[in-house]
Amino acid sequence: MCGIAGIISSNARNYQEEIKKMTDSLIHRGPDSSHYEFYDNAALGHRRLSIIDLSENGKQPMFSNSKDECIVLNGEIYGYQDIKKEYAEYPYHGESDTEVILAMYQRKQENLIHELPGMFAFAIWDNQKKQLFCARDRFGEKPFYYAIGNNNEFIFASEIKAILATGLIQPKVSPDALSHYLQYGYVSTYQSIYSNIYTLPPAHQLIWKEGKISVSRYYSLPAKDRMISLSDAKDEFLYLLKNAVKKQLIADVEVGSFLSGGLDSSSIVALVDEFLPQQTTISFGYDHKDNELKYAKEIADKYKTNHIEVHEKKEDLVTSLLKITPFFDEPFADASFIPHYEICKAAKKNLTVVLSGDVGDELFGGYHFYTVENKMKQHFSYKNIMAQFGLKLYQKLRTTSFITQKNIQYNSILDFHLNAVRNDFNKREREHLGISSDYLQPYSFAPDTDSLNDIMRTDLENYVPANMMVKSDRMAMANSLEVRTPFLDLDFAEFCIQLPDQLKLSNTNDKIILREAMGSYWTETIRKRHKQGFGLGVKNWFAEENLMNFSNDMLKNPNHKVFNFIDFKATQSYLNKDEKHWNLLQLALWADNNQSVL
C-alpha cells in the first residue's frame, strides 16, 4: 500500500520541489521509502509501504523494460501470479504485482483495465504517446484525486493534501459537495469538497493527452438478478469466497484479520484458518457492557488464533478528533472512524496487512433498514393510492404503524432509502442552513424503485466507496496499515450482487445466504447474532463536558471559518447533541483543519 503523486507539464523537471512536498505529505501512506522519476513532461512520485517484493526491484515509480513507460500504483493486484503467466513474454525484473501492469500495458494499452482485478489507483506515463493513463478500482477501495494547476499543470495524488502541498492551486469549496455532506455525512464519490479538485470515480479511467482530459466508465455493476436455488447458491458462494480469501493472503509480510465477533469477520477468520497454520486476529471494544469482545474471543478460541484485544476507555475524545480528522482532508461524520483508527493503530504494532469483513451488509442484506424496506414493499399500502388516502384520514384519529407512515410519506422504497436512511439534513433544513444545492449522484445502472437488490446496488456505488472505503483507507493509511476486503473480490461480489433478494433477507431473517453457507463455521452464539454497531454513538459522546466545550468554541462563535459556508443563526437550532450536531461539528473541525487554504 502506498501513496502516489504526479505533475504533468511541459517542463516537469522543474517541479522537483513540488513533487517532494507532495510525497512528504503522504509519508503515512508509505513510510518505508520515497522515490521520484522525471521525464521532460512528467514528474512522478511515490511513497512505499513494502508488502510484495520487499527488494529494490519492487520500488516505484517503476519503469518498463523499455523505459518508455513508468507507473505509480497504490493498491494490490490479487491473483497477479496467474496474470503474470499469461504475459510471460515480458522480461520481468522482480516479483511485484506492479510490474505485471506494465506487462499488460505493453500488450493491451488501456484495454488492460478490463482484465485487472484487485484494489488500485494507478497512473502510467507513456513517453512515446506523451500520454498519462490513470484508473481506479471498481468499488473505490483506493483514492485518486486530480486538479489543474495555476500554470495548466495536471496534478494527481492519493490524497487532497498532496495536491494542496504543491501550492499550485487555490481550492474553492463546492456547494454541491457541501449539500451532499450535510445530507449524508460524507462527500459523494463523484466529487471532492472542492469544486476545482476532482476525484476519479470508482470504475473509471482517465486519459490526459495534450492538455485534454478524458474520463470514462470502464465497468458497471451487473444489473440483472440471477435465477438460482439456495442449495446451488450455497456451494458457489463458499467456493468463490474461499478463492477470494486465498488470493488476498498473498504477501511477503504477515497477514492478520480484524475480528469483531460479527457474522462477516467471523467468516473471514474461519476461512483464513484453512490456508494459514496460524493467524493473528485483532478485536476492539469500548469498556462498556455492550462491547463485542466476548463474541470475538469465541471465534478466536475456536480457531486458536493469536488473538489481540484492544480495550478502549474512550478518554479525551477531543484529543482524538484533533489527531484523527486531518487524515480525511474532507468533512466526514461517520462516528465509527474513531474506533476504526484505534484498531488500525493497534494492528500496526504487530502487522502490516489485515483482512476486513467490510461490505457484507451491502452484499448479503444485513442492515436493519433493508428489512424495513422489505416490509414496506410487502405492505398493502405500498404504492396504493386509495389505501394511502384512507390511511391518511385514519392516522388523524389513531397512530398508524411505522411502515404505514413511511409508505404514505415516500413514493417508493428507493425514495425512502435515499432520503430517509442515513440522512442528517433534509432539503428544507439544508436550505435553512443557506445551502440551496441538491446534488444527485449518477449510477452505472437505472435503479428499479421497487427493487431491494437495486437499493443494495446503490449502496455499493454510493455509501460503500464514499463512506466505508474512505474510512477504511484513511484510518488504515494514517497508521501505515494495509486493509484488504475479500468480500469485494470481483467474482465473489458480482455473484452476490446478482443473487435474488429472497436469498439475502426476509421479514424475519437477514444475511440468509451467509448464514446458510457459513453457519457451520461459527459457534452457536455467533449463529444467533444480528448486527451490532461499532462504538457507543454520538449521543453518549455529547454527554462529555470536554466535547461540548469544544463544540461551543467553534459552533457558537459567529467568526468561525465554517460560517463562511453555512448560516450561523440557523446552525444554533441544530445543536441538540444528536447526529445533526455531530455532522456540523465535523464540518467545523474540517474548516478548522484547513484554515490556511480556505
Side-chain angles (χ1 to χ4, degrees), residues 174-188 191 193 331-333 422-427 429-438 555 562 565-567 571 574 579-588:
S174 163
D176 281 352
L178 196 53
S179 176
H180 191 281
Y181 167 77
L182 288 168
Q183 182 174 3
Y184 293 110
Y186 54 88
V187 176
S188 166
Q191 303 173 303
I193 192 62
F332 189 81
R422 301 194 192 99
N423 273 236
D424 288 334
F425 292 93
N426 62 32
K427 184 174 175 59
E429 291 167 335
R430 297 197 303 277
E431 288 174 348
H432 185 211
L433 287 167
I435 305 297
S436 57
S437 297
D438 191 23
L555 293 173
V562 73
F565 311 113
I566 59 174
D567 183 79
T571 296
Y574 298 111
E579 282 74 14
K580 286 185 174 69
H581 189 166
W582 180 261
N583 181 306
L584 293 168
L585 178 60
Q586 299 311 306
L587 183 64

Side-chain angles (χ1 to χ4, degrees), residues 458-571:
T458 64
D459 277 350
L460 283 167
E461 291 197 352
N462 182 339
Y463 177 75
V464 166
N467 183 300
M468 189 177 291
M469 293 297 104
V470 167
K471 178 180 66 179
S472 177
D473 175 81
R474 304 306 189 275
M475 296 299 89
M477 287 286 89
N479 292 286
S480 305
L481 180 76
E482 175 172 294
V483 174
R484 300 177 176 180
T485 311
F487 290 147
L488 286 180
D489 171 82
L490 182 58
D491 294 335
F492 178 75
E494 285 194 334
F495 168 76
C496 294
I497 290 166
Q498 296 175 86
L499 283 177
D501 58 49
Q502 61 266 29
L503 296 189
K504 300 177 184 179
L505 78 161
S506 66
N507 286 347
T508 56
N509 206 3
D510 62 2
K511 296 187 175 180
I512 293 170
I513 182 63
L514 182 71
R515 292 177 186 277
E516 290 288 332
M518 294 298 303
S520 63
Y521 287 84
W522 306 329
T523 64
E524 184 62 27
T525 309
I526 302 300
R527 277 192 284 274
K528 293 177 180 177
R529 290 205 69 197
H530 289 268
K531 188 167 183 62
Q532 181 172 329
F534 195 6
L536 284 170
V538 299
K539 290 183 180 179
N540 298 83
W541 287 350
F542 277 119
E544 295 187 12
E545 184 179 358
N546 67 337
L547 184 64
M548 282 306 302
N549 291 338
F550 183 63
S551 172
N552 291 340
D553 287 345
M554 289 190 286
L555 293 173
K556 291 190 177 294
N557 173 11
N559 298 316
H560 193 278
K561 200 82 176 178
V562 73
F563 297 117
N564 290 347
F565 311 113
I566 59 174
D567 183 79
F568 172 76
K569 185 177 179 182
T571 296

Side-chain angles (χ1 to χ4, degrees), residues 395-408:
Q395 68 182 8
K396 292 179 181 178
L397 303 172
R398 293 193 177 182
T399 304
T400 54
S401 71
F402 178 84
I403 299 298
T404 297
Q405 292 170 31
K406 297 309 168 187
N407 270 343
I408 292 171

Side-chain angles (χ1 to χ4, degrees), residues 110-169:
E110 298 91 64
N111 287 326
L112 75 87
I113 196 64
H114 302 292
E115 297 181 15
L116 194 67
M119 59 175 180
F120 54 79
F122 68 80
I124 299 174
W125 174 252
D126 186 323
N127 205 43
Q128 291 290 319
K129 291 183 176 180
K130 299 293 185 287
Q131 171 184 294
L132 186 75
F133 171 54
C134 313
R136 189 172 172 210
D137 65 68
R138 293 161 182 81
F139 298 107
E141 293 182 75
K142 294 293 107 187
F144 189 101
Y145 294 93
Y146 64 96
I148 305 301
N150 296 331
N151 306 304
N152 210 35
E153 306 96 338
F154 179 83
I155 310 164
F156 70 87
S158 296
E159 297 182 16
I160 291 173
K161 63 171 60 68
I163 292 175
L164 296 177
T166 66
L168 296 170
I169 184 168

